[in-house]
Amino acid sequence: MSLRHELERLLGKFGQDSQRIEDSVLIGCSEQQEAWFALDLGLNSSSSINASLQKPEVEKELTGSFTELRKALYQLNVKDASLLSTAQALLRWHDTHQFCSRSGQPTKKNMAGSKRVCSSNQIIYYPQMAPVVITLVSDGTRCLLARQSFFPKGMYSALAGFCDIGESLEETVRREVAEEVGLEVERLHYSASQHWPFPNSSLMIACHATVKPGQTEIRLNLRELEAAAWFRHDEVAIALRRNNPYTQQQNGAFPFCLPPKFAIAHQLIKEWVEKPIRFTLPV
Ligand SMILES: NC(=O)C1=CN([C@@H]2O[C@H](COP(=O)(O)OP(=O)(O)OC[C@H]3O[C@@H](n4cnc5c(N)ncnc54)[C@H](O)[C@@H]3O)[C@@H](O)[C@H]2O)C=CC1
Ligand SMILES: [Mg+2]
């Protein structure tokens, strides 16, 4: 039985119109050149007809269980996490772009789901991503890590911030670091980038930066961050190796830990731990 027939059978079983398959979006392709699609079952929408699809029934039929996206990403390998994050971001974009913002008329998805077109004026809408810079600031021997109040207890990460309209990445890095911890950075090295599904769809652009010699005093912006501190190389190296990072210790404290492997923040910190000197030399 083809996958399409299997999906039609399942939708039929749950009292859904097989026409819903047309809402699928293309999210990638296997090494054997099989196309991968994602379909929103709409289980969270209370008002729509999709609400009639009951989670327990679906879980039983597919012998699986629904998991919150963030938790699922922690459990999957990097490739599957990336696929899931693409699917979630693209399906959410379609869900929130059902109408043309100029005419108010419905928009229609193309077959692959790479765009939507307004039926009345032919305006084309493409999925959007917000650029975000994430910067690991170092002073030559230590790196600066910060935490927001909603992070898992004990977890610290690099500084992140959305690009404002009209800014270059370099300007965003300088502004964000100045706004959040009151420091001036001078050397920037691009590291890598990553699509990130939170809060909507972001393109995370990761870089290393250094502070001016001797200018390391942190002025914390408490509206944006809960804490920020300089960490020694050995402390960070130990935290990177920790297997069970988010578990409470016997004395009740949560150990200093870092973002999970699939997050670009983790890769950025790992890169600094492996080659701390490289990012402090003049370019
Ligand atoms: N993949 C990774 O390793 C990491 C990803 N991140 C992501 O980076 C994002 C940005 O970091 P923050 O420190 O929160 O940014 P931020 O320092 O710019 O502050 C967030 C605030 O910026 C404003 N903002 C401006 N443009 C926005 C837009 N397009 N969408 C949403 N809010 C916008 C909002 O008021 C929001 O509350 C986070 O949402 C987080 O999910 C953050 C750290 C690590
Ligand atoms: Mg920030």
Side-chain angles (χ1 to χ4, degrees):
M1 199 194 292
S2 76
L3 274 177
R4 190 186 170 97
H5 284 118
E6 172 65 2
L7 194 51
E8 278 174 0
R9 185 190 69 77
L10 280 170
L11 287 171
K13 185 158 184 173
F14 298 124
Q16 299 289 303
D17 192 333
S18 61
Q19 194 59 27
R20 291 207 48 209
I21 295 181
E22 305 304 324
D23 296 339
S24 308
V25 295
L26 179 66
I27 52 165
C29 179
S30 73
E31 279 171 14
Q32 292 75 38
Q33 314 297 317
E34 292 161 327
W36 285 327
F37 287 88
L39 175 62
D40 186 356
L41 290 177
L43 295 167
N44 288 325
S45 52
S46 52
S47 57
S48 76
I49 47 152
N50 306 331
S52 60
L53 262 175
Q54 292 301 314
K55 277 185 191 177
E57 286 176 44
V58 179
E59 286 180 331
K60 197 169 161 217
E61 178 66 27
L62 299 176
T63 56
S65 61
F66 286 99
T67 309
E68 203 217 318
L69 179 66
R70 238 176 238 272
K71 286 194 190 131
L73 289 175
Y74 277 61
Q75 287 157 13
L76 294 171
N77 64 41
V78 173
K79 217 169 147 192
D80 288 347
S82 157
L83 204 59
L84 184 63
S85 119
T86 306
Q88 210 272 350
L90 191 54
L91 288 170
R92 194 161 43 177
W93 179 81
H94 281 283
D95 189 41
T96 52
H97 289 77
Q98 303 277 318
F99 295 92
C100 173
S101 54
R102 169 72 58 86
S103 69
Q105 294 299 309
T107 55
K108 194 170 182 308
K109 174 181 95 64
N110 70 341
M111 192 185 267
S114 58
K115 59 185 175 184
R116 300 189 72 88
V117 183
C118 173
S119 43
S120 74
N121 57 23
Q122 306 309 310
I123 293 179
I124 304 173
Y125 292 91
Y126 293 100
Q128 293 150 342
M129 285 191 293
V132 174
V133 288
I134 173 155
T135 313
L136 186 63
V137 179
S138 124
D139 72 348
T141 55
R142 300 170 302 171
C143 74
L144 191 145
L145 298 170
R147 54 172 281 113
Q148 290 181 266
S149 52
F150 64 85
F151 282 7
K153 293 209 168 68
M155 190 185 99
Y156 280 74
S157 185
L159 300 173
F162 289 94
C163 294
D164 280 349
I165 288 273
E167 270 182 340
S168 66
L169 295 180
E170 293 81 353
E171 285 166 340
T172 310
V173 170
R174 291 200 169 86
R175 176 182 55 75
E176 280 292 336
V177 175
E179 271 178 20
E180 297 193 348
V181 290
L183 291 167
E184 221 179 305
V185 287
E186 55 174 15
R187 288 189 198 105
L188 301 184
H189 290 260
Y190 169 76
S191 167
S193 65
Q194 171 185 53
H195 171 259
W196 189 244
F198 310 108
N200 287 306
S201 196
S202 302
L203 177 66
M204 304 293 307
I205 301 138
C207 37
H208 296 272
T210 45
V211 283
K212 291 193 168 161
Q215 297 188 13
T216 56
E217 193 192 332
I218 296 170
R219 275 180 288 120
L220 185 66
N221 180 344
L222 285 167
R223 278 183 314 226
E224 305 228 5
L225 299 171
E226 186 182 79
W230 290 103
F231 290 84
R232 290 190 323 269
H233 184 268
D234 58 320
E235 291 177 281
V236 182
I238 290 168
L240 263 185
R241 288 197 295 270
R242 205 163 273 143
N243 283 329
N244 255 337
Y246 310 110
T247 41
Q248 202 165 9
Q249 289 169 333
Q250 273 181 346
N251 63 5
F254 286 85
F256 160 53
C257 62
L258 299 167
K261 281 200 179 73
F262 73 88
I264 201 157
H266 183 103
Q267 300 306 323
L268 192 63
I269 296 165
K270 185 163 178 268
E271 202 171 35
W272 179 79
V273 164
E274 286 167 1
K275 289 188 186 127
I277 298 299
R278 207 182 123 205
F279 306 112
T280 56
L281 295 174
V283 274

